[in-house]
Every structure is written in structure tokens, then in C-alpha cells.
Amino acid sequence: MKHSFSALLLTLLFALISVSCEKANQVQNNNQAVEVTITFPDFIFTFEDQPSNAPASPKAPSITGMSRVSPSEAGMNRISLAVFNSDNTLVFSTTKNAFVDEDFSEPISSSLLPGDYYFVAVIHKTNDASEAAAAIASTSQATITTSKLLNVFSVNQPVTIIANQPNTVLIDLGPCITSKFQIKTTDATPANVASCEVILNPSSSATSAYLFNPTTGFADNTYLYRNEFVLSDLSISTFQNELLGVNCLLSEASQHISVTVNMKDASGNIIKSRTFSDVPMKPNRITRATGSFFHSAATSSFTLSTTLDPIYEFEF
């Protein structure tokens, strides 16, 4: 009887040792970093041809309609990636610049401990080779510093890194977070007009550092956005039927803004100005105003569309 009891104790002891060793091995394995490969698979990117006479930017093809393309094929040339752990502590970050990084379209490699993370990515376009990729401070704040805001994509993607194996993370960027206003004048441009200035949110403050939430895609503030199109720079003689657009970030999913369009002479004097109020804007959508700019005395009016089409048009 004592023999059997001793054998039972030895069996239990060996079982406890085995379980303890197994748990120790698991803890040890979970404390070992694993290889992680981060890729940006093809995504839906909706945009239109830029005006035929507009200056082309590096690696920015002209694609019409809706296409499934890679970030580089879509003309994006900046990538910023930051990885935060479950305590919201930054554990990895990197940036890419298509103007200088030959591996811009290649996957990003890293080593991470197994566990839960937030992968925050911002991909955007700039025409200035000297401008840096977005700075990601947290899962809720990022900054793009640029002289002119162009298309931007962002995402905060939760990811679980699994122990004892290589991990591949596919970043799903989703739709563009920026919105664009375009104006198309249908009447002849007077001979003394040299440039067209388009200002979004004219009563707001201008900035070159755009703060936004990469998780929601919404801007921290309502910024002023401005672009001036000069006929001589575009190598054209008229603005008639040209598409002149300005990108912006919105502070909510649907926002109505004011837009001022100034036609100027060569000395910068305003020849004709029009203001459009209550213009409906949405992320990943173009709102286009079309009409007679110089010869119409009528005020603009339009009806809000309830569809989510990429382009919302109104006449003036």
C-alpha cells in the first residue's frame, strides 16, 4: 500500500515538473522576437485624370475611374509606419520616400515579440522631393508637413503576432481620407486673367503642418487650404473647361465648407471673385462646381446628393 502511494506521489511530481517545464518553455518562446513582414497589398483607389496640361509629378500615372492598384502605381510616394503595443507604447517605426528609396514598393521587415499590436500607417503623395513622410505620434495623432496637401491614406490596424513562426501583416488602407474640391469654368477666360486662386475654408488659419487622427482620418482642426493656378506655369492660355482642384482633410465624415475662387491679373489684383457657401464634402470624394464664372450674375445653388459617388457635381 505504501509502495502504491509513493508511486502515485512520484507520478504527480513528474507531471507537475513536466507542466512547469512546458510553461517555462512557452514563456521563453513568447519572449523571443519573431520575424514580421509588413506589406501594402493592392487597394481600391478612385481618382480622375489630371488636366492634360498640368505638370506631372514623379511616379504619378494618370488613371481614370476606379482601379485596383498598389500605392506606387497610384502615385503615392511617402509611407510612414508605426507599431504600438497594447500599452500604446511605440515599438517600431519607419518611413519611406519614393524619391530616394529604391525599395519603396518592397515589404517592410521587422522583429516583434508575440502579442497584440496596433499597426498605424499613413501613405500620402507630395510633389516636393524634400518633404518628409508623415510623423506618427500615436494611434490618434499624425502630422503631414507639406506646402500643398495631396491624396492621403491612413489606417490603424490591430494585429496579433504569433509566436514560433514568421508573421506576414497585410495593411488594408481602405479609401482615401482626403476630399477634393474642383472648379470648372465653362465661359471664356478674359485676356487679362493670369491666375486662378482657389481657397477652401477662407476664414480659417493656414498651416503647413496638418494634424489628423490616423484611426478616423479626421483633421484636428478646420484648416485653410489654398492653391493658385498660373496660366503660364501650366502652359495654357485659358482656364475654360480646365479642372482646378484643391485637396483637404475634413474634421468629420460629412462636412459643409465655404470656397472662394479669385481670378487675378499678372500683378495679383483680383479681377473677379466668387464664393460658394455650404459646399458638401466627404472623404474620398470630389465635389465639382461647373458653370459660367465671369459672365453670370446668378448666385450658385445646388441640391445635396445622398449617394456616395466619388464625384458630386453642382452647377453655378
Side-chain angles (χ1 to χ4, degrees):
M1 189 73 175
K2 288 182 179 180
H3 233 26
S4 299
F5 183 71
S6 299
L8 179 60
L9 283 176
L10 284 174
T11 302
L12 289 172
L13 180 61
F14 280 123
L16 288 172
I17 293 173
S18 298
V19 170
S20 298
C21 289
E22 184 178 350
K23 287 184 176 180
N25 288 331
Q26 287 177 351
V27 170
Q28 183 179 6
N29 289 334
N30 286 335
N31 286 329
Q32 292 179 349
V34 296
E35 181 182 347
V36 180
T37 302
I38 304 107
T39 64
F40 299 89
D42 294 351
F43 59 97
I44 296 296
F45 184 80
T46 306
F47 59 104
E48 287 199 330
D49 281 325
Q50 59 182 346
S52 58
N53 293 313
S57 61
K59 303 182 182 180
S62 183
I63 301 176
T64 302
M66 181 174 287
S67 304
R68 182 172 289 277
V69 294
S70 67
S72 57
E73 290 171 332
M76 303 299 103
N77 48 39
R78 296 292 186 279
I79 293 176
S80 185
L81 174 70
V83 180
F84 299 88
N85 63 18
S86 56
D87 295 325
N88 288 317
T89 301
L90 179 69
V91 296
F92 173 77
S93 66
T94 189
T95 61
K96 284 190 175 187
N97 180 339
F99 288 95
V100 296
D101 294 324
E102 295 182 357
D103 64 344
F104 180 80
S105 298
E106 298 299 317
I108 296 171
S109 297
S110 177
S111 294
L112 295 172
L113 294 173
D116 295 327
Y117 295 91
Y118 298 100
F119 281 58
V120 180
V122 177
I123 294 183
H124 69 101
K125 176 182 177 182
T126 175
N127 290 334
D128 189 335
S130 66
E131 291 182 350
I136 302 174
S138 67
T139 57
S140 61
Q141 188 173 84
T143 306
I144 293 177
T145 303
T146 179
S147 60
K148 183 170 69 174
L149 188 74
L150 298 175
N151 292 316
V152 181
F153 293 80
S154 72
V155 67
N156 174 11
Q157 185 170 312
V159 173
T160 298
I161 299 301
I162 302 173
N164 304 320
Q165 67 178 53
N167 286 247
T168 298
V169 178
L170 305 179
I171 302 296
D172 183 7
L173 289 167
C176 189
I177 65 172
T178 44
S179 179
K180 175 180 280 189
F181 172 84
Q182 287 181 336
I183 185 166
K184 179 181 178 182
T185 60
T186 56
D187 51 349
T189 304
N192 59 341
V193 170
S195 66
C196 174
E197 179 185 47
V198 182
I199 306 172
L200 311 188
N201 304 317
S203 62
S204 299
S205 299
T207 186
S208 60
Y210 299 94
L211 275 68
F212 65 99
N213 185 328
T215 300
T216 64
F218 299 148
D220 285 15
N221 298 289
T222 298
Y223 299 111
L224 180 149
Y225 302 85
R226 174 188 173 276
N227 197 4
E228 187 159 358
F229 303 88
V230 181
L231 285 172
S232 58
D233 292 345
L234 299 176
S235 300
I236 56 178
S237 59
T238 180
F239 287 122
Q240 187 175 17
N241 294 323
E242 292 287 338
L243 295 175
L244 308 177
V246 178
N247 290 278
C248 68
L249 290 166
L250 304 178
S251 57
E252 51 190 319
S254 179
Q255 190 173 351
H256 287 66
I257 69 171
S258 294
V259 179
T260 296
V261 180
N262 298 319
M263 294 291 181
K264 300 180 178 180
D265 63 17
S267 299
N269 300 310
I270 297 176
I271 297 171
K272 178 80 172 182
S273 180
R274 298 286 296 270
T275 295
F276 305 98
S277 302
D278 212 30
V279 176
M281 305 286 282
K282 287 179 180 288
N284 194 39
R285 189 174 74 176
I286 298 173
T287 297
R288 181 182 299 159
T290 302
S292 176
F293 187 90
F294 299 98
H295 307 296
S296 174
T299 57
S300 60
S301 62
F302 52 88
T303 303
L304 176 63
S305 171
T306 57
T307 65
L308 293 178
D309 293 336
I311 300 177
Y312 172 81
E313 301 193 51
F314 66 90
E315 297 181 355
F316 60 90

